[in-house]
Amino acid sequence: MMESLVAWTILTLGWLLPLVHVTLSSRGGPWRAPQGAGCPLSPRLGWLVLVLLAGPLGWLLFMKARERTPRVRS
């Protein structure tokens, strides 16, 4: 019983909550890829894939990337 509780806790805290956070975050980027982009994935979908594959590490990368202020391109 205890092993399954630990497993569900790790699954929930390590993957499901970060996925929900990236999905609902206003700073996750648009759902559609920019016009003329070489990659068919949108920024938000890319973050979701990263968090899905890397779990807590991907979420920490998302949090670190969202802290920085975006640079203005000229």
Side-chain angles (χ1 to χ4, degrees):
M1 177 67 179
M2 189 63 169
E3 295 87 12
S4 65
L5 180 64
V6 170
W8 279 109
T9 302
I10 290 171
L11 182 68
T12 301
L13 296 177
W15 273 270
L16 294 179
L17 289 179
L19 281 171
V20 169
H21 176 247
V22 172
T23 302
L24 299 177
S25 175
S26 62
R27 299 181 302 168
W31 281 100
R32 294 191 181 271
Q35 194 72 344
C39 180
L41 296 177
S42 67
R44 187 179 305 257
L45 190 57
W47 281 115
L48 285 172
V49 168
L50 187 66
V51 171
L52 183 64
L53 294 177
L57 180 61
W59 184 56
L60 290 173
L61 290 170
F62 172 78
M63 296 297 290
K64 180 73 173 166
R66 299 297 112 195
E67 282 178 4
R68 291 182 277 152
T69 57
R71 289 186 238 162
V72 177
R73 291 185 175 184
S74 54

